[in-house]
Amino acid sequence: MVIFKQNRCIALLVGVILVCFSSISLLGNEEIVKGKNSARTDKLQSSGQAAALLIPVATPASSQRSSNNTFRPMLYTTAANLGQAQKFRQPVEWISPDNLKPKGTASHTDILRRKAAVVKTSPPVAQQALRQAEGKGSQTVNNKNTAIQQHPPTKLFFSRTKLLSQAQRSQATWSYAVSEEDLLLLRKIVMAEAEGEPYQGKVAVANVVLNRLRSANFPDTIHDVIYQKRQFSPVANGRLNRVKPNADCIRAVNAALSGIKAVTDDTYYFLSLKLAQDLTVHHSQKYAKTIGNHTFYK
């Protein structure tokens, strides 16, 4: 202190130095604060949120009164504004050609697919009409077949090798008129030989009789074919005279006369291997088919 009293210049110099140091320190603190604020502001601007900083914060009247009396730092207000802006922010959709299309319109590929589906799928009305036409056609054929079988033809047409249908009469080499007696005998022999056999077996027995009628190696009438000696066992034991044809046998005979064949036209023999006592046919003729208990030979 004695030195300061003696030398006032030194005291003034020291005071100036202290004032300079204090001012320098104050300026440095202000620059640091400004640098931090600018760095935070740059970060907010780089993230694309600068516009949100300008949105005012809506506060109640009570809070506005208190805000007039209290001081809020800039960074706190900015953060609050940013939070409010993020609440009201809506997600941004990427713009694509599909988003630019008006709603309710189909694309070109969708239109082509629909057209293809329409071409491939016929209208229900057309499908129904087609089904009805097919049903009528099949029903007509079935009705014709049923009518023929219920009322068999009275005239048969033969070629040298087979029985012809009524539509093939132009190919016939000879014909045969079926009498009422022939029709009854044919039904009775089927009943006597194949009463317990399946329907196809009954048709096959009638086919054998008609095949013999066509062949030159057998008699020329149905009566003579059935009554030929040692050919049909029901004729020998008298069963033929006792039987009465049932509906199944009548239907089978009518079908055979109409041209339906359960065996081929070259089948002339049949027997039951379980009941037959004479197996000459089995050993001498060529096997053709087995239906039920009957074995058929050529």
Side-chain angles (χ1 to χ4, degrees), residues 90-221:
Q90 296 181 352
V92 179
E93 296 182 357
W94 290 99
I95 297 176
S96 63
D98 294 333
N99 293 332
L100 293 176
K101 293 178 182 178
K103 294 183 179 180
T105 58
S107 62
H108 182 64
T109 55
D110 293 337
I111 294 173
L112 292 178
R113 289 175 182 173
R114 290 175 185 175
K115 287 183 179 180
V118 170
V119 171
K120 289 182 180 179
T121 306
S122 57
V125 177
Q127 288 183 353
Q128 187 176 2
L130 182 61
R131 290 175 183 173
Q132 290 178 355
E134 291 177 353
K136 288 181 180 179
S138 60
Q139 186 176 3
T140 303
V141 173
N142 292 332
N143 290 337
K144 287 182 179 179
N145 292 334
T146 303
I148 292 172
Q149 292 181 17
Q150 289 179 353
H151 305 283
T154 58
K155 195 171 186 177
L156 302 179
F157 297 93
F158 295 97
S159 68
R160 292 181 179 179
T161 57
K162 61 182 180 179
L163 170 67
L164 301 176
S165 65
Q166 298 296 307
Q168 298 172 327
R169 65 179 66 187
S170 60
Q171 304 175 13
T173 57
W174 68 284
S175 61
Y176 179 83
V178 181
S179 64
E180 291 293 332
E181 181 185 2
D182 292 334
L183 184 60
L184 179 60
L185 282 176
L186 190 58
R187 291 172 177 175
K188 291 180 72 173
I189 194 64
V190 170
M191 180 68 180
E193 289 281 6
E195 181 180 2
E197 297 299 313
Y199 176 75
Q200 290 296 323
K202 294 179 173 64
V203 176
V205 170
N207 290 149
V208 168
V209 176
L210 296 179
N211 290 343
R212 289 189 176 191
L213 176 64
R214 176 195 56 79
S215 175
N217 297 324
F218 294 91
D220 295 335
T221 64

